[in-house]
Amino acid sequence: MVAALSSRSILLPRLQPAARTMASLFGHVEPAPRDPVLGVAEAFLADPFPGKVNLAVGAYRDDDGQPVVLDCVRQAERRVAGNLNIREYLPMGGSAKMVEESLKLACGEGSKLIRDKRIAAVQALSGAGACRLFADFQKRFLPDSRIYSTCLRQRGPIHLNIWRDAQVPQRTFRYYHPKSKGLDFAGMIDDVKNAPNGSFFLLHACSHYPTGVDPTEEQWREISYQFKVKNHLPFFDMANQGFASGDPERDARAIRIFLEDGHQVGCAQSYAKNMGLYGQRVGCLRPSGQHPTTYGLR
């Protein structure tokens, strides 16, 4: 007991200066700005009104505002319950089966690209994690490239911060038309045409964030054509497949149009919204090549 007290009395004076030094090293760091979506959630929790409705995030809720767990998710949980193998390390690319099924969901069950093994993909930490992996990948192997998105205009903080922190130069293209509250299709096409050949474009497969405005199928075909002319590379963030329209096939139509037209297509997939798996951080990334060995991925 005496020895223990003696040790503490000797160690504490040594720790205190170190703690002060550490505090001074990070004393200039300002708190990060509040996330606008999560800010709505915080306002909801603070509001005493009994009839309030939480519109913060796209998530399944019952009539009492409680989370809804899908039956398919409950069935999957029962299947894996007690399976010790799920606690083992996965390969660096993640679960091969999960990646395989994700590719089918995005590209189609009978996709020739999948059948011919011409698509590389890895498991990721939901959609944001997949985007960050791709941003780092882009910076490392195409350091002089840039990415066009709607983030700078619509102030979508997630994508803006991801590519900024990966040190990828960003440019903007027109998308949302405030007066019509719809798509500025003419402005978008004009910006696509005027971007340097071979530019990266961040697109949303469905339920565009944060506007919710999507091109029609006919417009997607025209966008794909213009991308082909300019040799642009489309990178799709697909966070709402099946959640946007209720039909996973319909919500993946934009990606499949680009694949049918022969584009190299990148895609970030998330299962947070459509499967209600926010806390599990389940996602998948496929880079833009059409052969696994192109990027050293298996």
Side-chain angles (χ1 to χ4, degrees):
M1 182 68 174
V2 173
L5 289 173
S6 176
S7 297
R8 292 177 67 184
S9 65
I10 294 172
L11 287 173
L12 282 174
R14 295 181 180 177
L15 287 173
Q16 287 172 350
R20 286 197 298 269
T21 302
M22 187 64 69
S24 64
L25 284 174
F26 296 101
H28 66 286
V29 178
E30 297 291 333
R34 289 179 178 271
D35 183 276
V37 176
L38 297 181
V40 175
E42 293 171 359
F44 170 82
L45 294 174
D47 192 334
F49 179 61
K52 62 186 178 180
V53 177
N54 190 350
L55 301 178
V57 295
Y60 299 104
R61 292 288 188 269
D62 61 21
D63 292 340
D64 297 321
Q66 298 303 310
V68 174
V69 181
L70 301 181
D71 287 340
C72 60
V73 173
R74 292 192 182 279
Q75 291 177 24
E77 288 175 338
R78 286 194 290 269
R79 290 184 184 182
V80 301
N83 183 357
L84 297 179
N85 291 331
I86 65 171
R87 294 170 175 80
E88 295 293 324
Y89 275 115
L90 289 171
M92 290 187 68
S95 167
K97 185 62 177 176
M98 181 266 185
V99 169
E100 177 186 345
E101 296 303 321
S102 294
L103 289 176
K104 291 178 183 178
L105 196 61
C107 305
E109 189 78 27
S111 169
K112 190 174 187 299
L113 293 173
I114 297 176
R115 190 168 60 250
D116 295 344
K117 300 186 183 302
R118 291 192 288 129
I119 299 180
V122 294
Q123 186 175 344
L125 293 175
S126 201
C131 285
R132 180 55 197 255
L133 279 176
F134 185 83
D136 286 338
F137 189 84
Q138 179 183 351
K139 180 62 178 178
R140 176 177 295 186
F141 295 104
L142 291 167
D144 296 328
S145 66
R146 62 184 62 175
I147 190 159
Y148 284 77
S149 75
T150 63
C151 296
L152 299 178
R153 293 179 182 269
Q154 306 301 335
R155 300 186 184 278
I158 296 176
H159 302 94
L160 178 66
N161 292 344
I162 286 172
W163 267 270
R164 180 202 65 196
D165 291 346
Q167 300 181 358
V168 175
Q170 300 182 67
R171 298 293 184 272
T172 187
F173 67 90
R174 284 171 282 181
Y175 189 88
Y176 183 68
H177 194 278
K179 290 185 177 180
S180 67
K181 294 181 172 59
L183 179 67
D184 183 1
F185 183 65
M188 179 183 182
I189 291 297
D190 188 53
D191 288 344
V192 168
K193 289 180 177 179
N194 290 321
N197 289 358
S199 296
F200 285 72
F201 275 77
L202 171 62
L203 304 172
H204 295 241
C206 58
S207 188
H208 175 269
Y209 176 80
T211 68
V213 174
D214 294 326
T216 64
E217 181 169 332
E218 182 180 355
Q219 288 172 331
W220 275 124
R221 292 190 182 281
E222 177 63 19
I223 295 168
S224 174
Y225 171 77
Q226 296 298 337
F227 268 54
K228 197 75 172 177
V229 170
K230 296 287 293 187
N231 197 32
H232 292 329
L233 191 147
F235 181 78
F236 284 94
D237 185 359
M238 187 160 60
N240 298 286
Q241 185 183 6
F243 193 83
S245 70
D247 181 357
E249 297 295 305
R250 176 180 175 183
D251 290 346
R253 192 70 192 115
I255 291 176
R256 296 179 189 181
I257 287 173
F258 275 72
L259 289 174
E260 291 166 4
D261 288 347
H263 291 275
Q264 296 187 72
V265 176
C267 179
Q269 290 173 266
S270 168
Y271 296 101
K273 294 181 176 65
N274 54 8
M275 300 296 291
L277 298 174
Y278 274 98
Q280 285 73 16
R281 312 305 300 153
V282 184
C284 182
L285 166 69
R286 59 149 298 183
S288 58
Q290 293 193 0
H291 194 287
T293 57
T294 302
Y295 298 113
L297 297 173
R298 298 285 181 180

